[in-house]
Amino acid sequence: MNPRIATALVLVAALAAGAMALAASGEREDAAPAASEGFEGARIPAGVRAPDFALENQDGDTIRMRDLRGRPVVVTFLYTDCDDTCPPQAHQVVGALDELGHDVPALAIAVDPANDTPDSARRFLAENRLVGRIDFVLGSREELGPLWDAYAVRPQSVKEEHQARTVLVDPRGFQRVGFPLDKTTPERLAHDLRLLEMG
């Protein structure tokens, strides 16, 4: 056989094998997202780590995200003087825990550090019957800023209302699902928490 023809046949065979492998690989990649299509909330792109931190809660206890690994974590963003969006947002979270049938860690990241103090956080939690169900994560603007950035949340300001958003972090410490307030219900949150608990 002509060496040039033989080389061409080998090249064609290699390209065909490569195309088949690529097609098979594409099918596997399509299958992976399909397995997670069951989430009610908006899926966050893969590999987005929940930022680690060591900040105090309303009682002066240190909260570390890395200490919460092994369980899903609910992360929401509140401020203690809020009387419109924040109480309903917090109650959606607690309603989800009730729907789930057991508690998982639930964190409220402060978005108004100048006014979110241990006293005001304890008052907010008590007035809304949330004591023991949600931890307020407090700190300075410099300490909380990296958390707001990592979760793509706008904090409270004189000109703009903060973003009312809830994020579910999986047991490995990755952000997995996000809910804006208008898409949040206890049932939807609980549904997605169950999926995260199942792995």
Side-chain angles (χ1 to χ4, degrees):
M1 180 183 287
N2 185 319
R4 295 176 77 182
I5 294 174
T7 301
L9 288 174
V10 169
L11 185 57
V12 168
L15 288 172
M20 290 172 60
L22 186 60
S25 170
E27 288 170 9
R28 284 194 300 274
E29 288 174 6
D30 290 343
S36 62
E37 283 290 337
F39 285 118
E40 294 283 334
R43 285 179 294 143
I44 294 169
V48 179
R49 175 74 67 182
D52 198 14
F53 59 84
L55 294 172
E56 290 187 356
N57 70 0
Q58 68 282 349
D59 299 318
D61 300 323
T62 300
I63 305 291
R64 295 180 181 84
M65 182 59 83
R66 67 176 169 270
D67 291 344
L68 305 177
R69 297 273 171 84
R71 296 170 287 174
V73 180
V74 182
V75 180
T76 193
F77 302 85
L78 309 174
Y79 68 102
T80 57
D81 291 336
C82 177
D83 58 6
D84 48 14
T85 61
C86 296
Q89 190 174 347
H91 285 287
Q92 297 279 23
V93 171
V94 172
L97 300 181
D98 291 341
E99 181 81 15
L100 190 62
H102 59 271
D103 282 0
V104 298
L107 307 178
I109 308 293
V111 292
D112 185 15
N115 298 302
D116 293 336
T117 66
D119 285 343
S120 68
R122 285 193 297 271
R123 184 178 65 249
F124 178 93
L125 294 173
E127 287 175 354
N128 289 283
R129 300 179 186 161
L130 304 170
V131 175
R133 309 295 299 278
I134 294 178
D135 279 304
F136 240 109
V137 176
L138 305 172
S140 66
R141 181 166 289 273
E142 291 72 26
E143 291 169 323
L144 294 168
L147 303 186
W148 302 332
D149 292 343
Y151 287 102
V153 166
R154 181 183 63 247
Q156 183 68 15
S157 72
V158 175
K159 296 181 179 179
E160 287 186 298
E161 180 71 13
H162 80 291
Q163 287 168 295
R165 184 167 184 245
T166 300
V167 175
L168 303 184
V169 176
D170 73 17
R172 297 180 304 136
F174 290 96
Q175 299 182 45
R176 290 290 294 281
V177 187
F179 290 87
L181 181 59
D182 65 342
K183 302 293 184 188
T184 306
T185 67
E187 294 77 16
R188 296 181 80 204
L189 284 172
H191 174 274
D192 287 2
L193 284 168
R194 286 191 192 96
L195 289 182
L196 292 177
E197 285 186 326
M198 291 188 299

